[in-house]
Amino acid sequence: MAEKEEDPNHSVSGLMNNCNTAGGPVSPKSPEDETSESPVPDTGLTPNAEQKRNGSGTDLKSVLVTSVLNLEKLDVDLYRGTHHWVPRTQRLFGGQIVGQALVAAAKSVGDNFYAHSLHCYFVRAGDPKVPVLYQVERTRDGRSFTVRSVKAIQHGQPILICQASFHMQQESPLQHQFTMPTVPPPEDLLTVEELIHLYLSKPDLAENAKQGLNKLLANEVPIEIKPVNPPQFYRRGATEPKKLFWVRARGYIGEGNMKLHCCVAAYVSDFALLGTVLLPYPNYRAKFSASLDHAMWFHSTFRTDEWMLYECVSPWAGGSRGLVQGRLWRRDGVLAASCSQEGVVRVKPATEPSKL
Ligand SMILES: CC(C)(COP(=O)(O)OP(=O)(O)OC[C@H]1O[C@@H](n2cnc3c(N)ncnc32)[C@H](O)[C@@H]1OP(=O)(O)O)[C@@H](O)C(=O)NCCC(=O)NCCSC(=O)CCCC(=O)O
């Protein structure tokens, strides 16, 4: 019979043992953390933590916590989510819908149950002009696993269907993982914004490229990215369908709330993933692309406000679809989460080489 033990992967002490991330060893939650008044609206998943990151200074709370993943409760198992960053396609960002669906699901499970996987279909484009409703069905409450189904609804119709499963930690001698790719640390690399400023300073840059870059700069994407190989990230020449970048949520989230970090990871995991399909084809541009489904598995504790390496590979493309797989690595080499996604990718010939 399975014994119920303290969860070393998810407890505060487990975080201390396992999580040696960018900020060095994670310190235990202080008693003040429990009592101090948080300036952040209560998401139900928000930790009452100090407002400092790594003790280096005051950071603003991540907008992912204060706004995007901060759902409004309308009724039992019914929530409303609002939008923050909307992609140029003017359809809602898939990662936002998945992240919000996971927040809604997590609100109805016990404190010692943690998301271990989710499976979603994007069945309609999300409309950025109206909020999204999240309707949770308590599919099953088991002894060690608990399953929730979430429907994201707009205009009375589902835009996403999601199944999320939560697990109470159980120890096992079976434990292995792949090895993290060897890459330069984030401190040695430039952010997407720094790279754009670099490109903008080039005297021979065409006017339309300048406009495109300035539009990119104006984006208020709530995550920071440092491409490991910038020319490849921006598709200069054909490369294998594989890309690596460091990623973290902008602003402070804090330690000790794995439920929240899983929701943020779900948000982050959809970003730039599907673009991996196009890497071998510099002579083609996407004329229509959208993620069709998204599955995710959570393996260990992690902090999404610390740099994590995102490894994206596309093992297959065909018939206007492409399959992509992602691995999120903690910078100490621990595999934090894996995901898989299929997307529709319809292309047209690139009329001129990219200036990026
Ligand atoms: C996938 C679809 C579109 C499928 O619905 P559908 O009714 O079967 O639609 P459809 O027939 O595929 O039409 C869609 C569109 O594709 C056009 N089309 C259709 N067939 C062809 C063709 N052979 N050649 C060229 N174009 C074709 C159609 O005319 C449609 O165009 P339109 O939307 O009318 O302009 C739908 O289920 C849907 O919209 N689901 C939601 C997908 C979604 O919103 N995913 C999340 C957002 S994507 C994302 O977040 C990726 C990350 C972005 C990042 O990295 O930055």
Side-chain angles (χ1 to χ4, degrees), residues 268-325:
V268 167
S269 67
D270 193 28
F271 198 81
L273 181 63
L274 193 54
T276 314
V277 171
L278 288 163
L279 292 180
Y281 314 100
N283 297 329
Y284 289 93
R285 301 256 173 86
K287 70 172 173 192
F288 181 86
S289 77
S291 34
L292 295 168
D293 61 8
H294 192 83
M296 193 154 187
W297 296 266
F298 301 99
H299 310 307
S300 67
T301 56
F302 54 86
R303 277 185 66 163
T304 41
D305 56 351
E306 304 285 11
W307 289 115
M308 299 177 87
L309 182 68
Y310 201 16
E311 180 188 11
C312 306
V313 292
S314 172
W316 174 86
S320 297
R321 301 191 315 278
L323 180 68
V324 275
Q325 294 165 341

Side-chain angles (χ1 to χ4, degrees), residues 2 4 32 44 51 79 92 142 157 188-189 212 280 297 311 356:
K4 288 184 187 173
E32 297 92 281
Q51 289 287 294
Y79 300 91
L92 288 182
Q157 292 186 306
D188 292 356
L189 298 167
W297 296 266
E311 180 188 11
L356 287 177

Side-chain angles (χ1 to χ4, degrees), residues 3-22:
E3 283 177 52
K4 288 184 187 173
E5 295 175 335
E6 192 203 12
D7 175 351
N9 276 332
H10 298 290
S11 67
V12 172
S13 56
L15 273 172
M16 280 185 72
N17 294 338
N18 297 333
C19 195
N20 185 10
T21 53

Side-chain angles (χ1 to χ4, degrees), residues 85 87 89 91-97 121-126 159 243 270-275 287-293 320 341 344 346-347:
W85 166 72
T89 55
R91 53 173 61 219
L92 288 182
F93 172 48
Q96 175 186 294
I97 314 169
Y121 278 101
F122 299 99
V123 294
R124 282 183 184 82
I159 60 167
K243 68 176 153 189
D270 193 28
F271 198 81
L273 181 63
L274 193 54
K287 70 172 173 192
F288 181 86
S289 77
S291 34
L292 295 168
D293 61 8
S320 297
Q341 176 174 106
V344 53
R346 295 183 181 124
V347 294

Side-chain angles (χ1 to χ4, degrees), residues 330-349:
R330 268 176 18 193
R331 71 178 294 170
D332 63 356
V334 170
L335 184 59
S338 308
C339 64
S340 285
Q341 176 174 106
E342 194 180 31
V344 53
V345 184
R346 295 183 181 124
V347 294
K348 60 182 178 188

